[in-house]
Amino acid sequence: MENKNTLIALMLMLAVWFGYSLFFQPPPPVSPPAEPQLVSAEVVPAVVPVSSPQLAAVPQFDMDTAGSSQPAPVREVTVENELYRAVFSSSGARLIAFELKNYRQESDLDSPLISLVDPSTFRDSTLNTSGMDGMGFPVDAVYQIDNSENHFKLDGAQQQSLVFSYMRQDGFKIEKTYIFHGDKYAFDLLLNVSNGSQQPVRGSLSLSLLHPWDDAEKGDQFTFVGPVTLAADELNTDDPEDLVKEPRHYGKDVTWSAFEDKYFISAVVPLNGASEKVRIEKTSSSVRNSFESPYIILESGQSAVLSYLLYFGPRDLDVLKEVNYNLDRAIDFGFFSLIATPLLHFLKFFYSFVGNYGVAIIILTVIIKLLFWPLTHKSYASMKHMQKLQPEMQKLREKYKNDREKQNRELMQLYKTHRVNPLGGCLPMLVQIPVFFALYKVLLGAIELRHAPFAFWITDLSLKDPYYVTPLVMGATMFIQQKLTPSTMDPVQAKMFMLMPVIFTFLFLNFPSGLVIYWLVNNLLTILQQYFIHKKA
């Protein structure tokens, strides 16, 4: 991901912030879940690959004359359920519009709905089907529709099929059957090809997922926008700029391929060997994920079916898990997944009670702080003891400045006499760094925080504080925290270290306000803890 460098930089600064005593103290001596079966027709015969020498016998068809003698007029059919509104055209049996009912472009209730497929900005639509060799037919062929209605609305567990069919003059026929569900983002697609001619038909089919692309689509340093593919159990992201130079190819081990942005994803899952290879390329106006079938041989009267699961919706971990097929892998927390995923679940759990993600973040921060309270207490207490020993340590360094080995032995004896661990001040703090970065990953891209209000001027926890109040207060608390932290550094090092709050403040100015709230509350709790430690000292 593109935010890798930022994460590394932040990790290094945090390591310095939490563990400076490690660097300035003298060192001591030396199976994915089972997949549900999709409704599908039996392949008769099975999809059969043939060798390339047979291609010479494949009949070719003129795309201008291959259609039926009486083409049907172009129709549009709208399908709605509880979650989306989709529009299909009989021209190519393609998806030409797709709106999500529960997500808007802005937090304003009058803002337009999110469109994952928008005909006003993308004339090519998506879910295009084409045929190669003896199965060739126009991409924009006008299909017959099995139903005269132009609008369907589904609720709950209702299911609705929409069948598009197109037949060439020689009797070769293709059917695209979409199967919709009233309460799911995912829907199914069956491509059925049958040979009604007297001659064998050989060839392959391609299903294309298209997404418009221009420079404005590009993500920022924290967000990847572009095609993503799960192949051989590995998540692959392909930068559209790299695709201009050379398309990317994947084999039959593809579980799914998609186009994603920060919060939404459009994905195709080929089922039962429907895809032999996937080609991802950048055209002049779009990014294309093409799923090419195995080579098919149909004798007269035979047919074959290719099955796909389609998903157009939010990058919501729970929703994607329910869809299955490892689509939840699209939400990649990277190295911190083992910690980040439970943190996200806890955050959603607290939200279910309080109804405010800002409050849920505060509750989660308090609980994390309580869990680490003994460690941080031990850390600050150890640093306090080390600070008291500083005069004696300095004397030993001066006394044995020409004998490093003797100096180390004497320092070790001093630590043993006073029962002080020179690493005790930083190691407990460093343990907390993975938790911070895991929560950083969660709060940076969780769709749950999108347009989620907190209080007062913070109306969207996924965006920066518009008035920069919280990051400035966070910087101030970080300065106070640093002043209260026992230090064993020399004056020059201490002055340099005072720049850390300034650096973090500027870094957090453009961070999501939800992340800043977490860091601010954590600082306040740390200051409270340091107060009690100083009071006991």
Side-chain angles (χ1 to χ4, degrees):
M1 291 294 181
E2 293 183 13
N3 62 342
K4 181 179 179 181
N5 291 336
T6 302
L7 282 172
I8 293 174
L10 192 55
M11 179 180 290
L12 291 174
M13 285 188 286
L14 278 172
V16 175
W17 171 253
F18 284 132
Y20 66 86
S21 60
L22 177 64
F23 304 104
F24 296 107
Q25 291 297 337
V30 172
S31 121
E35 300 178 351
Q37 294 298 315
L38 178 67
V39 177
S40 177
E42 183 180 1
V43 176
V44 186
V47 176
V48 181
V50 297
S51 59
S52 55
Q54 292 177 283
L55 296 180
V58 175
Q60 303 298 322
F61 293 90
D62 185 344
M63 294 297 98
D64 294 329
T65 62
S68 58
S69 58
Q70 294 180 342
V74 175
R75 286 178 53 195
E76 293 183 1
V77 179
T78 301
V79 179
E80 283 191 74
N81 69 3
E82 300 170 359
L83 304 169
Y84 62 77
R85 174 181 174 273
V87 181
F88 292 83
S89 172
S90 63
S91 174
R94 296 175 289 189
L95 179 63
I96 62 173
F98 198 96
E99 287 184 332
L100 301 178
K101 291 185 174 181
N102 296 329
Y103 298 93
R104 297 186 178 275
Q105 296 178 19
E106 306 292 341
S107 56
D108 189 346
L109 294 178
D110 296 327
S111 176
L113 296 173
I114 287 291
S115 291
L116 298 186
V117 180
D118 189 350
S120 66
T121 59
F122 191 34
R123 60 181 178 83
D124 292 333
S125 64
T126 189
L127 301 182
N128 294 344
T129 310
S130 59
M132 282 74 78
D133 299 323
M135 294 187 178
F137 57 91
V139 174
D140 57 354
V142 179
Y143 287 65
Q144 296 279 357
I145 304 177
D146 71 333
N147 200 304
S148 60
E149 295 184 35
N150 292 327
H151 188 277
F152 299 95
K153 190 166 185 179
L154 293 76
D155 297 308
Q158 287 182 322
Q159 182 173 299
Q160 176 69 48
S161 297
L162 185 61
V163 182
F164 297 84
S165 59
Y166 172 79
M167 182 179 291
R168 288 192 323 213
Q169 288 180 341
D170 67 336
F172 173 77
K173 183 179 180 180
I174 178 170
E175 286 186 349
K176 295 179 71 171
T177 302
Y178 295 96
I179 305 172
F180 308 97
H181 311 274
D183 56 355
K184 297 179 181 178
Y185 287 103
F187 56 103
D188 310 318
L189 171 61
L190 305 178
L191 293 183
N192 187 315
V193 287
S194 57
N195 182 12
S197 71
Q198 299 302 311
Q199 301 295 326
V201 175
R202 301 177 178 90
S204 58
L205 300 175
S206 177
L207 176 68
S208 296
L209 178 72
L210 281 82
H211 194 281
W213 182 266
D214 57 37
D215 291 339
E217 291 281 322
K218 188 176 181 180
D220 55 29
Q221 58 180 328
F222 306 114
T223 308
F224 173 77
V225 177
V228 57
T229 303
L230 183 64
D233 202 38
E234 181 179 351
L235 194 66
N236 303 273
T237 55
D238 296 306
D239 191 327
E241 292 183 356
D242 296 334
L243 295 175
V244 174
K245 307 171 187 175
E246 183 180 7
R248 184 72 183 272
H249 295 86
Y250 297 94
K252 60 176 65 177
D253 56 0
V254 168
T255 304
W256 53 261
S257 187
F259 186 96
E260 69 174 9
D261 59 23
K262 185 175 183 178
Y263 295 118
F264 304 98
I265 185 171
S266 304
V268 175
V269 183
L271 304 175
N272 305 321
S275 176
E276 181 77 9
K277 59 182 178 179
V278 176
R279 174 185 172 93
I280 301 178
E281 59 187 329
K282 167 73 171 62
T283 68
S284 59
S285 60
S286 65
V287 172
R288 184 194 306 265
N289 303 46
S290 297
F291 300 78
E292 298 181 16
S293 77
Y295 206 82
I296 303 170
I297 302 175
L298 295 180
E299 299 294 339
S300 179
Q302 291 184 329
S303 63
V305 176
L306 303 174
S307 304
Y308 306 88
L309 181 131
L310 311 173
Y311 179 88
F312 291 74
R315 293 178 73 244
D316 183 300
L317 187 62
D318 291 337
V319 175
L320 294 174
K321 275 184 174 291
E322 185 178 350
V323 175
N324 208 341
Y325 301 102
N326 283 324
L327 266 177
D328 60 299
R329 293 276 300 276
I331 302 178
D332 183 21
F333 294 123
F335 182 77
F336 303 100
S337 292
L338 288 177
I339 303 174
T341 301
L343 288 177
L344 178 57
H345 287 305
F346 278 120
L347 186 66
K348 297 175 76 168
F349 173 77
F350 296 138
Y351 173 77
S352 67
F353 286 97
V354 299
N356 185 303
Y357 271 109
V359 177
I361 290 171
I362 294 175
I363 294 173
L364 182 61
T365 307
V366 172
I367 290 176
I368 292 174
K369 191 64 179 178
L370 289 175
L371 290 175
F372 283 108
W373 188 279
L375 284 176
T376 53
H377 187 87
K378 182 179 179 180
S379 175
Y380 288 124
S382 178
M383 285 191 287
K384 192 72 175 176
H385 291 154
M386 288 291 293
Q387 188 180 39
K388 291 180 179 179
L389 289 178
Q390 191 65 17
E392 294 185 50
M393 293 165 58
Q394 189 60 36
K395 289 179 181 179
L396 290 175
R397 291 192 188 101
E398 289 293 328
K399 183 176 181 180
Y400 301 105
K401 61 182 178 180
N402 296 322
D403 189 344
R404 190 75 175 181
E405 185 177 346
K406 178 69 172 178
Q407 181 187 121
N408 284 338
R409 287 201 302 269
E410 292 297 325
L411 286 173
M412 196 62 186
Q413 184 60 43
L414 180 66
Y415 299 150
K416 188 180 296 185
T417 302
H418 293 272
R419 296 181 179 180
V420 173
N421 183 353
L423 300 180
C426 64
L427 290 181
M429 303 290 268
L430 293 175
V431 172
Q432 302 176 64
I433 291 180
V435 177
F436 166 78
F437 279 104
L439 195 55
Y440 163 87
K441 294 285 287 184
V442 169
L443 298 181
L444 194 63
I447 194 171
E448 288 79 7
L449 299 188
R450 183 179 183 270
H451 297 168
F454 173 44
F456 306 112
W457 65 92
I458 299 179
T459 58
D460 190 339
L461 288 166
S462 69
L463 299 179
K464 66 180 182 181
D465 185 330
Y467 303 111
Y468 304 108
V469 174
T470 50
L472 291 175
V473 175
M474 184 277 298
T477 59
M478 199 171 183
F479 178 80
I480 296 172
Q481 177 186 343
Q482 185 169 310
K483 294 294 288 185
L484 291 175
T485 301
S487 174
T488 58
M489 293 183 289
D490 61 53
V492 176
Q493 293 171 336
K495 288 180 180 180
M496 292 179 60
F497 206 68
M498 290 301 292
L499 292 175
M500 292 298 293
V502 178
I503 295 173
F504 268 70
T505 299
F506 277 102
L507 187 63
F508 274 62
L509 286 177
N510 293 310
F511 273 14
S513 53
L515 182 63
V516 180
I517 289 172
Y518 159 73
W519 193 253
L520 170 59
V521 174
N522 184 73
N523 284 353
L524 291 173
L525 293 174
T526 301
I527 290 172
L528 179 64
Q529 185 175 23
Q530 289 173 322
Y531 170 77
F532 284 119
I533 292 174
H534 282 288
K535 192 174 182 180
K536 289 182 179 179

